[in-house]
Amino acid sequence: KKKQQDVLGFLEANKIGFEEKDIAANEENRKWMRENVPENSRPATGYPLPPQIFNESQYRGDYDAFFEARENNAVYAFLGLTAPPGSKVFDFSLLYRSFYCC
């Protein structure tokens, strides 16, 4: 839960639009996430655990990949977005994407 809150907090602080998908209460969301995490990104046993991050239907990575991108100041590239010039704050008028964080 803490990792999920970390991702959501970053998106909110940087005004990046997202849609949170609850996989605990919605079987359809859980099934979609499991089917759309690439084979090479799945754990050896069991199912991928949240948060899993998507840009629309394109898989972007898990929390560890997000954390590494954040540490390297490469979160916008990780999310598949162009960083606003001269600012760390995302300008909503430039681009809006739905991000699925499960």
Side-chain angles (χ1 to χ4, degrees):
K1 186 75 174 172
K2 183 178 180 195
K3 291 178 179 181
Q4 293 170 33
Q5 291 172 336
D6 189 28
V7 173
L8 296 178
F10 178 89
L11 296 174
E12 290 169 350
N14 289 281
K15 298 179 176 30
I16 299 172
F18 66 93
E19 181 179 352
E20 184 177 8
K21 299 285 189 171
D22 186 347
I23 65 166
N26 187 309
E27 179 61 35
E28 192 171 309
N29 288 342
R30 182 173 33 249
K31 182 179 176 187
W32 188 91
M33 183 196 77
R34 289 176 178 171
E35 290 174 353
N36 287 283
V37 171
E39 191 70 36
N40 63 341
S41 297
R42 295 179 186 177
T45 60
Y47 295 108
L49 299 174
Q52 298 293 327
I53 303 164
F54 294 83
N55 181 336
E56 300 293 336
S57 61
Q58 183 183 29
Y59 182 70
R60 304 310 295 180
D62 61 6
Y63 177 79
D64 292 336
F66 168 81
F67 182 81
E68 183 176 327
R70 193 175 65 187
E71 290 293 306
N72 292 319
N73 294 318
V75 174
Y76 286 95
F78 167 76
L79 295 174
L81 300 174
T82 302
S87 174
K88 289 187 176 185
V89 178
F90 183 77
D91 181 357
F92 247 173
S93 65
L94 296 176
L95 179 63
Y96 178 80
R97 301 273 177 120
S98 292
F99 285 90
Y100 299 99
C101 179
C102 305

XYZ file of all heavy atoms in Angstrom:
834
model
N 0.822 -1.193 0.000
C 0.000 0.000 0.000
C 0.868 1.260 0.000
O 0.554 2.238 -0.664
C -0.924 -0.046 1.218
C -1.919 1.042 1.256
C -3.041 0.807 0.266
C -4.110 1.866 0.429
N -5.091 1.805 -0.603
N 1.983 1.223 0.736
C 2.866 2.388 0.799
C 3.451 2.706 -0.569
O 3.556 3.877 -0.953
C 3.978 2.150 1.808
C 4.876 3.344 1.979
C 5.939 3.118 3.022
C 6.774 4.376 3.104
N 7.991 4.263 3.766
N 3.814 1.694 -1.327
C 4.360 1.910 -2.672
C 3.306 2.529 -3.583
O 3.613 3.426 -4.375
C 4.874 0.597 -3.255
C 6.104 0.067 -2.551
C 6.537 -1.254 -3.126
C 7.777 -1.772 -2.430
N 8.226 -3.055 -2.993
N 2.073 2.064 -3.473
C 0.991 2.624 -4.269
C 0.806 4.099 -3.925
O 0.666 4.945 -4.814
C -0.299 1.855 -4.020
C -0.248 0.425 -4.533
C -1.439 -0.387 -4.061
O -2.524 0.129 -3.896
N -1.221 -1.663 -3.832
N 0.810 4.413 -2.644
C 0.644 5.798 -2.203
C 1.798 6.671 -2.685
O 1.600 7.838 -3.016
C 0.505 5.857 -0.688
C -0.793 5.264 -0.197
C -0.851 5.141 1.321
O 0.166 5.073 1.992
N -2.063 5.104 1.849
N 2.990 6.108 -2.736
C 4.160 6.845 -3.207
C 3.978 7.245 -4.678
O 4.214 8.392 -5.054
C 5.405 5.984 -3.015
C 6.692 6.740 -3.279
O 6.726 7.973 -3.095
O 7.679 6.082 -3.668
N 3.541 6.302 -5.507
C 3.317 6.591 -6.931
C 2.203 7.620 -7.082
O 2.357 8.615 -7.809
C 2.979 5.301 -7.718
C 2.583 5.632 -9.155
C 4.160 4.332 -7.702
N 1.084 7.398 -6.414
C -0.050 8.319 -6.528
C 0.321 9.717 -6.035
O -0.060 10.720 -6.649
C -1.254 7.787 -5.753
C -1.837 6.471 -6.253
C -2.989 6.027 -5.364
C -2.269 6.575 -7.695
N 1.069 9.789 -4.953
C 1.503 11.076 -4.424
C 2.364 11.830 -5.424
O 2.222 13.047 -5.589
N 3.262 11.120 -6.093
C 4.112 11.762 -7.100
C 3.270 12.297 -8.256
O 3.451 13.433 -8.698
C 5.163 10.781 -7.636
C 6.026 11.396 -8.703
C 7.180 12.057 -8.356
C 5.665 11.322 -10.041
C 7.971 12.651 -9.338
C 6.447 11.908 -11.020
C 7.609 12.579 -10.670
N 2.340 11.471 -8.753
C 1.497 11.901 -9.870
C 0.665 13.120 -9.487
O 0.562 14.079 -10.263
C 0.591 10.747 -10.317
C 1.293 9.515 -10.889
C 0.286 8.403 -11.143
C 2.072 9.850 -12.148
N 0.088 13.101 -8.304
C -0.720 14.228 -7.839
C 0.129 15.484 -7.668
O -0.262 16.571 -8.116
C -1.416 13.881 -6.524
C -2.519 12.863 -6.687
C -3.046 12.309 -5.373
O -2.442 12.571 -4.303
O -4.068 11.605 -5.418
N 1.289 15.359 -7.041
C 2.159 16.512 -6.797
C 2.622 17.153 -8.096
O 2.836 18.361 -8.155
C 3.361 16.093 -5.956
N 2.769 16.343 -9.128
C 3.236 16.851 -10.416
C 2.104 17.077 -11.407
O 2.335 17.299 -12.588
C 4.296 15.910 -10.997
C 5.576 16.013 -10.207
O 6.337 16.947 -10.382
N 5.796 15.076 -9.298
N 0.881 17.008 -10.902
C -0.319 17.285 -11.697
C -0.387 16.441 -12.977
O -0.736 16.927 -14.045
C -0.421 18.769 -12.013
C -0.559 19.634 -10.776
C -0.640 21.084 -11.139
C -0.869 22.035 -10.007
N -0.423 21.787 -8.715
N -0.050 15.176 -12.823
C -0.139 14.224 -13.927
C -1.450 13.467 -13.757
O -1.657 12.806 -12.747
C 1.060 13.252 -13.930
C 2.363 14.035 -14.094
C 0.903 12.211 -15.023
C 3.617 13.211 -13.913
N -2.333 13.596 -14.748
C -3.630 12.934 -14.665
C -3.474 11.422 -14.634
O -2.619 10.854 -15.304
N -4.277 10.766 -13.841
C -4.226 9.315 -13.751
C -5.582 8.782 -13.345
O -6.440 9.521 -12.856
C -3.151 8.843 -12.757
C -3.447 9.217 -11.335
C -4.127 8.338 -10.505
C -3.041 10.444 -10.826
C -4.414 8.683 -9.195
C -3.310 10.802 -9.517
C -4.000 9.919 -8.698
N -5.749 7.507 -13.560
C -6.939 6.804 -13.100
C -6.464 5.607 -12.306
O -5.715 4.778 -12.803
C -7.773 6.340 -14.291
C -9.044 5.629 -13.903
C -9.859 5.203 -15.116
O -9.517 5.585 -16.242
O -10.832 4.465 -14.904
N -6.867 5.549 -11.069
C -6.487 4.436 -10.207
C -7.484 3.299 -10.405
O -8.690 3.516 -10.410
C -6.492 4.892 -8.749
C -6.017 3.843 -7.784
C -5.982 4.374 -6.353
O -6.459 5.481 -6.097
O -5.477 3.639 -5.506
N -6.970 2.095 -10.602
C -7.816 0.919 -10.771
C -7.667 0.028 -9.548
O -6.563 -0.405 -9.222
C -7.411 0.127 -12.019
C -7.540 0.891 -13.310
C -8.977 1.008 -13.698
C -9.109 1.584 -15.085
N -10.455 1.527 -15.585
N -8.761 -0.239 -8.876
C -8.761 -1.075 -7.684
C -8.858 -2.536 -8.107
O -9.854 -2.957 -8.682
C -9.941 -0.700 -6.794
C -9.932 -1.414 -5.459
O -9.162 -2.399 -5.292
O -10.696 -1.006 -4.582
N -7.801 -3.302 -7.841
C -7.828 -4.718 -8.225
C -8.330 -5.606 -7.086
O -8.626 -6.767 -7.306
C -6.457 -5.223 -8.725
C -5.415 -5.182 -7.612
C -6.010 -4.435 -9.942
C -4.169 -5.959 -7.925
N -8.423 -5.053 -5.886
C -8.929 -5.838 -4.757
C -10.443 -5.979 -4.821
O -10.990 -7.030 -4.486
C -8.513 -5.199 -3.439
N -11.111 -4.926 -5.257
C -12.573 -4.924 -5.253
C -13.183 -5.197 -6.625
O -14.394 -5.335 -6.734
C -13.079 -3.576 -4.746
N -12.341 -5.286 -7.658
C -12.873 -5.439 -9.007
C -12.119 -6.539 -9.744
O -10.971 -6.349 -10.152
C -12.773 -4.108 -9.750
C -13.444 -4.133 -11.092
O -13.204 -5.013 -11.910
N -14.296 -3.143 -11.333
N -12.770 -7.670 -9.930
C -12.148 -8.826 -10.580
C -11.735 -8.512 -12.012
O -10.693 -8.971 -12.488
C -13.105 -10.024 -10.558
C -12.567 -11.276 -11.230
C -11.299 -11.830 -10.590
O -11.167 -11.748 -9.360
O -10.440 -12.355 -11.328
N -12.526 -7.701 -12.712
C -12.200 -7.349 -14.095
C -10.894 -6.558 -14.170
O -10.057 -6.803 -15.043
C -13.347 -6.530 -14.707
C -13.233 -6.373 -16.203
C -14.491 -5.753 -16.777
O -15.592 -6.253 -16.487
O -14.348 -4.764 -17.516
N -10.696 -5.621 -13.247
C -9.439 -4.868 -13.196
C -8.257 -5.785 -12.889
O -7.185 -5.651 -13.476
C -9.508 -3.763 -12.137
C -10.399 -2.620 -12.533
O -10.726 -2.444 -13.707
N -10.818 -1.839 -11.556
N -8.458 -6.708 -11.954
C -7.396 -7.648 -11.582
C -7.015 -8.513 -12.779
O -5.832 -8.679 -13.098
C -7.853 -8.506 -10.400
C -6.795 -9.476 -9.908
C -7.161 -10.220 -8.623
N -8.564 -10.530 -8.445
C -9.366 -9.964 -7.532
N -8.911 -9.057 -6.713
N -10.630 -10.323 -7.435
N -8.012 -9.018 -13.482
C -7.763 -9.859 -14.651
C -7.031 -9.075 -15.736
O -6.064 -9.556 -16.315
C -9.088 -10.402 -15.188
C -8.937 -11.317 -16.361
C -10.289 -11.833 -16.828
C -10.115 -12.681 -18.076
N -11.385 -13.062 -18.656
N -7.482 -7.821 -15.987
C -6.846 -6.998 -17.010
C -5.381 -6.759 -16.680
O -4.513 -6.884 -17.537
C -7.582 -5.658 -17.139
C -7.088 -4.844 -18.292
C -7.569 -4.849 -19.563
C -5.979 -3.932 -18.280
N -6.839 -3.992 -20.338
C -5.850 -3.402 -19.580
C -5.088 -3.496 -17.305
C -4.871 -2.485 -19.930
C -4.110 -2.578 -17.650
C -4.011 -2.085 -18.946
N -5.096 -6.417 -15.418
C -3.713 -6.167 -15.021
C -2.857 -7.411 -15.231
O -1.790 -7.339 -15.813
C -3.625 -5.726 -13.565
C -2.193 -5.385 -13.144
S -1.931 -5.285 -11.370
C -1.880 -7.007 -10.920
N -3.331 -8.546 -14.769
C -2.558 -9.785 -14.882
C -2.283 -10.152 -16.327
O -1.210 -10.635 -16.660
C -3.283 -10.921 -14.175
C -3.260 -10.774 -12.674
C -4.055 -11.850 -11.998
N -3.985 -11.710 -10.545
C -4.715 -12.401 -9.712
N -5.599 -13.280 -10.153
N -4.590 -12.219 -8.415
N -3.250 -9.906 -17.191
C -3.086 -10.247 -18.609
C -2.177 -9.265 -19.343
O -1.596 -9.621 -20.367
C -4.452 -10.294 -19.299
C -5.305 -11.456 -18.859
C -6.715 -11.413 -19.426
O -7.088 -10.399 -20.072
O -7.445 -12.392 -19.220
N -2.061 -8.040 -18.854
C -1.336 -7.010 -19.589
C 0.051 -6.697 -19.062
O 0.754 -5.884 -19.658
C -2.194 -5.743 -19.664
C -3.329 -5.941 -20.636
O -3.154 -5.885 -21.839
N -4.512 -6.227 -20.110
N 0.452 -7.316 -17.962
C 1.847 -7.219 -17.533
C 2.623 -8.195 -18.415
O 2.288 -9.379 -18.482
C 2.017 -7.576 -16.040
C 3.491 -7.675 -15.679
C 1.324 -6.547 -15.166
N 3.640 -7.709 -19.144
C 4.390 -8.590 -20.048
C 4.996 -9.791 -19.319
O 5.360 -9.704 -18.145
C 5.492 -7.690 -20.607
C 5.012 -6.296 -20.375
C 4.143 -6.344 -19.158
N 5.092 -10.859 -20.037
C 5.622 -12.112 -19.486
C 6.973 -11.913 -18.804
O 7.214 -12.431 -17.712
C 5.744 -13.159 -20.608
C 6.021 -14.559 -20.129
C 4.831 -15.193 -19.417
O 3.688 -14.957 -19.818
O 5.074 -15.942 -18.445
N 7.858 -11.140 -19.425
C 9.208 -10.952 -18.866
C 9.214 -10.032 -17.638
O 10.242 -9.881 -16.995
C 10.169 -10.422 -19.925
C 9.770 -9.054 -20.449
O 8.628 -8.624 -20.312
N 10.708 -8.378 -21.070
N 8.079 -9.438 -17.296
C 7.982 -8.580 -16.110
C 7.202 -9.232 -14.981
O 6.998 -8.623 -13.934
C 7.310 -7.258 -16.479
O 8.095 -6.557 -17.404
N 6.784 -10.463 -15.186
C 6.011 -11.177 -14.163
C 6.944 -11.914 -13.211
O 8.033 -12.328 -13.596
C 5.078 -12.189 -14.828
C 4.035 -11.526 -15.681
C 3.139 -12.526 -16.341
N 2.248 -11.841 -17.266
C 1.381 -12.438 -18.034
N 1.270 -13.760 -18.007
N 0.615 -11.741 -18.834
N 6.515 -12.082 -11.973
C 7.346 -12.850 -11.037
C 7.410 -14.318 -11.457
O 6.536 -14.814 -12.179
C 6.617 -12.688 -9.699
C 5.233 -12.276 -10.036
C 5.280 -11.601 -11.367
N 8.446 -14.993 -11.018
C 8.626 -16.405 -11.365
C 7.457 -17.257 -10.881
O 7.046 -18.200 -11.554
C 9.939 -16.926 -10.789
N 6.925 -16.906 -9.721
C 5.750 -17.605 -9.204
C 4.720 -16.580 -8.768
O 5.056 -15.477 -8.350
C 6.108 -18.499 -7.994
O 6.652 -17.682 -6.964
C 7.108 -19.577 -8.377
N 3.489 -16.944 -8.884
C 2.415 -16.051 -8.454
C 2.087 -15.001 -9.496
O 2.446 -15.113 -10.659
N 1.404 -13.969 -9.044
C 0.940 -12.898 -9.920
C 1.694 -11.607 -9.643
O 2.193 -11.403 -8.535
C -0.557 -12.652 -9.697
C -1.421 -13.814 -10.098
C -2.031 -14.601 -9.128
C -1.627 -14.123 -11.432
C -2.833 -15.676 -9.487
C -2.427 -15.191 -11.799
C -3.027 -15.962 -10.829
O -3.818 -17.017 -11.191
N 1.746 -10.702 -10.627
C 2.353 -9.397 -10.366
C 1.559 -8.643 -9.300
O 0.337 -8.684 -9.293
C 2.279 -8.674 -11.715
C 1.446 -9.502 -12.621
C 1.224 -10.825 -11.971
N 2.277 -8.001 -8.410
C 1.641 -7.266 -7.320
C 1.588 -5.775 -7.635
O 2.432 -5.253 -8.361
C 2.415 -7.482 -6.022
C 2.491 -8.924 -5.526
C 3.399 -9.006 -4.309
C 1.095 -9.446 -5.201
N 0.596 -5.084 -7.105
C 0.517 -3.639 -7.318
C 1.620 -2.917 -6.554
O 2.112 -3.450 -5.574
C -0.857 -3.287 -6.772
C -1.269 -4.411 -5.901
C -0.493 -5.617 -6.331
N 1.988 -1.748 -7.014
C 1.442 -1.061 -8.170
C 2.113 -1.500 -9.466
O 3.322 -1.720 -9.513
C 1.742 0.407 -7.883
C 2.992 0.380 -7.057
C 2.912 -0.882 -6.243
N 1.320 -1.629 -10.494
C 1.777 -1.835 -11.865
C 1.312 -0.596 -12.626
O 0.164 -0.182 -12.491
C 1.180 -3.103 -12.473
C 1.558 -4.375 -11.748
C 3.039 -4.703 -11.856
O 3.684 -4.416 -12.860
N 3.596 -5.293 -10.798
N 2.174 -0.012 -13.413
C 1.883 1.280 -14.017
C 1.753 1.138 -15.534
O 2.601 0.541 -16.191
C 2.978 2.302 -13.651
C 3.068 2.401 -12.128
C 2.704 3.656 -14.298
C 4.315 3.044 -11.606
N 0.663 1.700 -16.046
C 0.360 1.666 -17.474
C 0.097 3.083 -17.961
O -0.428 3.910 -17.223
C -0.912 0.836 -17.741
C -0.763 -0.623 -17.429
C -0.909 -1.085 -16.132
C -0.485 -1.527 -18.438
C -0.781 -2.423 -15.839
C -0.360 -2.876 -18.143
C -0.508 -3.331 -16.853
N 0.450 3.363 -19.206
C 0.048 4.591 -19.885
C -0.960 4.134 -20.914
O -0.592 3.500 -21.902
C 1.242 5.273 -20.551
C 0.854 6.563 -21.244
O -0.294 6.756 -21.620
N 1.832 7.440 -21.434
N -2.244 4.431 -20.643
C -3.344 3.841 -21.409
C -3.194 2.327 -21.265
O -3.201 1.829 -20.162
C -3.342 4.323 -22.854
C -3.480 5.824 -23.009
C -4.828 6.384 -22.587
O -5.832 5.649 -22.578
O -4.871 7.569 -22.235
N -2.981 1.601 -22.358
C -2.826 0.148 -22.242
C -1.364 -0.287 -22.347
O -1.062 -1.473 -22.302
C -3.664 -0.566 -23.305
O -3.226 -0.186 -24.587
N -0.441 0.671 -22.458
C 0.983 0.345 -22.574
C 1.610 0.187 -21.194
O 1.573 1.102 -20.376
C 1.712 1.429 -23.359
C 3.170 1.103 -23.574
C 3.896 2.226 -24.300
O 3.544 3.389 -24.192
N 4.929 1.861 -25.029
N 2.178 -0.983 -20.963
C 2.823 -1.256 -19.682
C 4.083 -0.420 -19.546
O 4.918 -0.388 -20.447
C 3.173 -2.747 -19.586
C 3.801 -3.128 -18.271
C 3.054 -3.134 -17.108
C 5.139 -3.487 -18.196
C 3.621 -3.487 -15.890
C 5.710 -3.847 -16.990
C 4.954 -3.843 -15.842
O 5.516 -4.195 -14.639
N 4.215 0.277 -18.413
C 5.388 1.112 -18.168
C 6.309 0.507 -17.121
O 7.506 0.764 -17.138
C 4.967 2.518 -17.732
C 4.050 3.238 -18.701
C 4.537 3.242 -20.128
N 5.780 3.998 -20.260
C 6.429 4.168 -21.390
N 5.968 3.664 -22.499
N 7.543 4.849 -21.421
N 5.768 -0.275 -16.176
C 6.631 -0.920 -15.203
C 5.981 -1.026 -13.833
O 4.844 -0.636 -13.627
N 6.762 -1.567 -12.904
C 6.291 -1.746 -11.537
C 6.885 -0.650 -10.651
O 7.516 0.283 -11.138
C 6.642 -3.140 -11.021
C 8.140 -3.406 -10.978
O 8.953 -2.478 -11.238
O 8.521 -4.542 -10.675
N 6.700 -0.790 -9.350
C 7.183 0.235 -8.431
C 8.699 0.370 -8.493
O 9.229 1.487 -8.462
C 6.755 -0.058 -6.989
C 7.316 0.978 -6.047
C 6.708 2.225 -5.939
C 8.470 0.738 -5.312
C 7.230 3.206 -5.113
C 9.004 1.712 -4.485
C 8.382 2.941 -4.389
O 8.913 3.913 -3.583
N 9.420 -0.736 -8.576
C 10.886 -0.659 -8.603
C 11.369 0.134 -9.813
O 12.295 0.943 -9.700
C 11.507 -2.059 -8.589
C 11.284 -2.771 -7.262
O 11.087 -2.088 -6.232
O 11.292 -4.020 -7.259
N 10.742 -0.077 -10.971
C 11.112 0.675 -12.175
C 10.758 2.154 -12.008
O 11.527 3.039 -12.403
C 10.415 0.084 -13.393
N 9.594 2.436 -11.411
C 9.195 3.813 -11.131
C 10.199 4.479 -10.196
O 10.651 5.607 -10.440
C 7.792 3.838 -10.512
C 7.428 5.169 -9.926
C 6.978 6.198 -10.722
C 7.547 5.384 -8.557
C 6.665 7.444 -10.174
C 7.227 6.621 -8.001
C 6.790 7.651 -8.820
N 10.561 3.787 -9.116
C 11.486 4.336 -8.131
C 12.836 4.643 -8.773
O 13.417 5.708 -8.550
C 11.656 3.364 -6.964
C 12.552 3.887 -5.876
C 12.051 4.766 -4.923
C 13.883 3.520 -5.819
C 12.875 5.261 -3.917
C 14.711 4.015 -4.825
C 14.211 4.883 -3.877
N 13.327 3.735 -9.590
C 14.612 3.947 -10.271
C 14.531 5.159 -11.202
O 15.439 5.986 -11.241
C 15.010 2.708 -11.064
C 16.360 2.831 -11.719
C 16.795 1.564 -12.429
O 16.444 0.463 -11.974
O 17.473 1.701 -13.445
N 13.428 5.280 -11.944
C 13.248 6.426 -12.835
C 13.203 7.721 -12.038
O 13.777 8.740 -12.446
C 11.975 6.250 -13.660
N 12.536 7.699 -10.901
C 12.455 8.892 -10.063
C 13.832 9.279 -9.536
O 14.201 10.454 -9.529
C 11.482 8.663 -8.911
C 11.126 9.956 -8.206
C 10.082 9.741 -7.167
N 10.627 8.890 -6.126
C 9.919 8.389 -5.126
N 8.636 8.620 -5.044
N 10.491 7.647 -4.214
N 14.595 8.305 -9.108
C 15.947 8.567 -8.603
C 16.851 9.144 -9.691
O 17.763 9.901 -9.397
C 16.569 7.277 -8.041
C 15.921 6.800 -6.764
C 16.165 7.743 -5.598
O 17.336 8.062 -5.313
O 15.177 8.185 -4.988
N 16.602 8.767 -10.941
C 17.409 9.228 -12.067
C 16.790 10.429 -12.785
O 17.209 10.765 -13.894
C 17.619 8.081 -13.062
C 18.483 6.989 -12.481
O 19.475 7.245 -11.813
N 18.094 5.745 -12.720
N 15.767 11.037 -12.156
C 15.059 12.169 -12.762
C 14.576 11.851 -14.170
O 14.686 12.668 -15.083
C 15.936 13.425 -12.772
C 16.220 13.917 -11.377
O 15.331 13.942 -10.532
N 17.456 14.290 -11.118
N 14.046 10.642 -14.335
C 13.583 10.193 -15.653
C 12.141 9.695 -15.603
O 11.747 8.856 -16.406
C 14.514 9.091 -16.165
N 11.348 10.214 -14.669
C 9.984 9.718 -14.504
C 9.123 10.008 -15.725
O 8.338 9.170 -16.146
C 9.320 10.277 -13.225
C 7.864 9.869 -13.141
C 10.062 9.769 -12.004
N 9.271 11.195 -16.311
C 8.447 11.505 -17.481
C 8.728 10.525 -18.621
O 7.805 10.041 -19.270
C 8.654 12.952 -17.930
C 7.991 13.937 -16.995
C 8.709 14.545 -15.973
C 6.642 14.235 -17.113
C 8.098 15.442 -15.104
C 6.023 15.125 -16.252
C 6.760 15.722 -15.249
O 6.144 16.591 -14.386
N 9.986 10.211 -18.855
C 10.326 9.219 -19.885
C 9.761 7.860 -19.505
O 9.213 7.143 -20.356
C 11.839 9.147 -20.068
N 9.881 7.484 -18.242
C 9.337 6.215 -17.767
C 7.835 6.142 -18.041
O 7.320 5.121 -18.471
C 9.612 6.050 -16.267
C 8.849 4.943 -15.613
C 9.228 3.617 -15.801
C 7.750 5.208 -14.814
C 8.515 2.581 -15.201
C 7.039 4.186 -14.210
C 7.425 2.865 -14.404
N 7.129 7.256 -17.806
C 5.684 7.281 -18.014
C 5.296 7.428 -19.482
O 4.128 7.299 -19.830
C 5.059 8.428 -17.207
C 5.169 8.312 -15.693
C 4.654 9.586 -15.030
C 4.413 7.091 -15.183
N 6.266 7.712 -20.339
C 5.979 7.907 -21.752
C 5.498 9.315 -22.045
O 4.761 9.538 -22.999
N 5.938 10.284 -21.229
C 5.537 11.681 -21.380
C 6.752 12.541 -21.686
O 7.880 12.169 -21.379
C 4.902 12.191 -20.079
C 3.666 11.477 -19.582
C 3.269 12.016 -18.209
C 2.531 11.644 -20.570
N 6.507 13.707 -22.238
C 7.548 14.703 -22.429
C 7.515 15.633 -21.229
O 6.461 16.181 -20.899
C 7.296 15.511 -23.717
O 7.247 14.602 -24.810
C 8.375 16.547 -23.940
N 8.649 15.816 -20.590
C 8.726 16.714 -19.438
C 8.538 18.145 -19.912
O 9.077 18.530 -20.942
C 10.061 16.563 -18.731
N 7.775 18.927 -19.180
C 7.602 20.333 -19.542
C 8.941 21.064 -19.489
O 9.711 20.859 -18.559
C 6.657 20.877 -18.474
C 6.069 19.691 -17.817
C 7.024 18.562 -17.999
N 9.233 21.897 -20.480
C 10.514 22.615 -20.491
C 10.669 23.525 -19.276
O 9.751 24.253 -18.924
C 10.471 23.447 -21.774
C 9.189 23.142 -22.444
C 8.387 22.234 -21.584
N 11.813 23.421 -18.644
C 12.153 24.305 -17.545
C 11.344 24.134 -16.276
O 11.392 24.974 -15.402
N 10.606 23.039 -16.168
C 9.769 22.872 -14.987
C 9.625 21.398 -14.667
O 9.577 20.564 -15.554
C 8.384 23.472 -15.237
O 7.541 23.190 -14.160
N 9.515 21.116 -13.367
C 9.242 19.751 -12.944
C 7.751 19.525 -12.813
O 7.313 18.423 -12.601
C 9.932 19.456 -11.617
C 11.418 19.354 -11.720
C 12.007 18.892 -10.420
C 13.496 18.690 -10.560
N 14.098 18.143 -9.372
N 6.964 20.582 -12.904
C 5.516 20.478 -12.761
C 4.896 20.263 -14.131
O 5.175 20.978 -15.072
C 4.929 21.749 -12.109
C 3.418 21.650 -12.001
C 5.557 21.961 -10.743
N 4.058 19.270 -14.224
C 3.401 18.920 -15.468
C 2.274 19.899 -15.752
O 1.465 20.188 -14.892
C 2.847 17.495 -15.361
C 2.215 17.009 -16.611
C 2.985 16.587 -17.670
C 0.839 16.981 -16.737
C 2.402 16.131 -18.817
C 0.245 16.528 -17.890
C 1.030 16.107 -18.938
N 2.237 20.445 -16.965
C 1.181 21.374 -17.365
C 0.039 20.584 -17.986
O 0.172 20.019 -19.060
C 1.755 22.382 -18.363
C 0.735 23.408 -18.810
O -0.437 23.326 -18.402
O 1.118 24.291 -19.582
N -1.108 20.562 -17.305
C -2.271 19.811 -17.774
C -2.682 20.202 -19.186
O -3.220 19.406 -19.924
C -3.443 20.066 -16.840
C -3.879 18.877 -16.059
C -4.836 19.023 -15.083
C -3.358 17.626 -16.281
C -5.256 17.934 -14.334
C -3.771 16.543 -15.551
C -4.728 16.697 -14.564
N -2.471 21.459 -19.567
C -2.922 21.902 -20.874
C -2.085 21.301 -21.998
O -2.514 21.281 -23.144
C -2.879 23.425 -20.962
O -1.554 23.882 -20.870
N -0.899 20.790 -21.679
C -0.043 20.225 -22.713
C -0.446 18.813 -23.108
O -0.381 18.443 -24.267
C 1.426 20.202 -22.250
C 2.070 21.555 -22.013
C 3.473 21.357 -21.463
C 2.106 22.351 -23.298
N -0.839 18.026 -22.141
C -1.109 16.620 -22.425
C -1.882 16.009 -21.273
O -1.599 16.282 -20.115
C 0.225 15.870 -22.596
C 0.194 14.391 -22.868
C -0.494 14.092 -24.203
C 1.592 13.829 -22.899
N -2.838 15.201 -21.577
C -3.540 14.459 -20.545
C -3.556 13.002 -20.947
O -3.900 12.654 -22.064
C -4.979 14.951 -20.351
C -5.688 14.137 -19.307
C -5.480 14.375 -17.970
C -6.492 13.076 -19.680
C -6.085 13.584 -17.019
C -7.096 12.281 -18.724
C -6.900 12.550 -17.392
O -7.486 11.776 -16.449
N -3.159 12.175 -20.067
C -3.171 10.738 -20.288
C -3.810 10.078 -19.082
O -3.733 10.587 -17.975
C -1.740 10.177 -20.405
C -0.920 10.772 -21.505
C -1.160 10.024 -22.794
N -0.407 10.647 -23.857
C 0.518 10.042 -24.562
N 0.843 8.816 -24.305
N 1.134 10.674 -25.520
N -4.412 8.937 -19.314
C -4.920 8.162 -18.198
C -3.843 7.173 -17.792
O -3.332 6.440 -18.632
C -6.174 7.379 -18.613
O -7.224 8.256 -18.871
N -3.509 7.173 -16.526
C -2.539 6.228 -16.023
C -3.262 5.249 -15.129
O -4.075 5.642 -14.302
C -1.418 6.922 -15.234
C -0.470 7.616 -16.141
C -0.674 8.922 -16.503
C 0.585 6.927 -16.691
C 0.177 9.560 -17.375
C 1.444 7.552 -17.559
C 1.236 8.870 -17.905
N -2.987 3.993 -15.334
C -3.601 2.952 -14.536
C -2.569 2.492 -13.531
O -1.485 2.070 -13.896
C -4.047 1.787 -15.411
C -5.058 2.206 -16.434
C -4.686 2.468 -17.732
C -6.377 2.382 -16.057
C -5.618 2.876 -18.667
C -7.309 2.799 -16.985
C -6.925 3.038 -18.287
O -7.854 3.453 -19.194
N -2.895 2.608 -12.334
C -1.995 2.188 -11.267
C -2.733 1.172 -10.427
O -3.695 1.500 -9.764
C -1.599 3.390 -10.419
S -0.506 2.936 -9.078
N -2.327 -0.071 -10.555
C -3.049 -1.147 -9.874
C -2.209 -1.728 -8.771
O -1.048 -1.827 -8.858
C -3.402 -2.250 -10.840
S -4.311 -1.677 -12.271
